[in-house]
Amino acid sequence: MDKQKFAFDKTNFILLGIGVAVVIIGFLLMSGPVSTVDHFEPDIFSVRRIKVAPVVCLLGFVFMIYGVVKKPKTNL
């Protein structure tokens, strides 16, 4: 029986899943204590929240774009 043609194959879905996981990790790195009117939290300006987490999110989004753009292998 002929295999049905899909736009994505297993590799594309794995790459998309990894990209989503990396973006979630980046957002978790951005989270932390917040400043209020009564209390200033200096951790909002930490290197982890300002530099590392956005780069991790950006890499996750780039990885997801690669997962979408990558052509599936064709078996002839």
Side-chain angles (χ1 to χ4, degrees):
M1 188 156 200
D2 193 21
K3 192 174 182 181
Q4 192 175 11
K5 292 282 186 178
F6 289 108
F8 292 159
D9 63 353
K10 184 178 177 181
T11 307
N12 294 90
F13 285 115
I14 291 171
L15 292 173
L16 285 171
I18 292 171
V20 168
V22 171
V23 170
I24 290 171
I25 290 170
F27 276 102
L28 289 175
L29 288 172
M30 275 190 236
S31 66
V34 297
S35 291
T36 62
V37 176
D38 300 326
H39 174 68
F40 174 71
E41 184 62 49
D43 189 47
I44 62 172
F45 298 112
S46 70
V47 173
R48 174 183 57 97
R49 293 175 82 176
I50 298 292
K51 295 181 181 177
V52 175
V55 170
V56 170
C57 286
L58 179 68
L59 291 175
F61 285 123
V62 168
F63 209 79
M64 287 193 310
I65 291 170
Y66 176 71
V68 169
V69 174
K70 183 181 180 312
K71 289 188 177 185
K73 293 182 180 178
T74 56
N75 295 332
L76 296 176

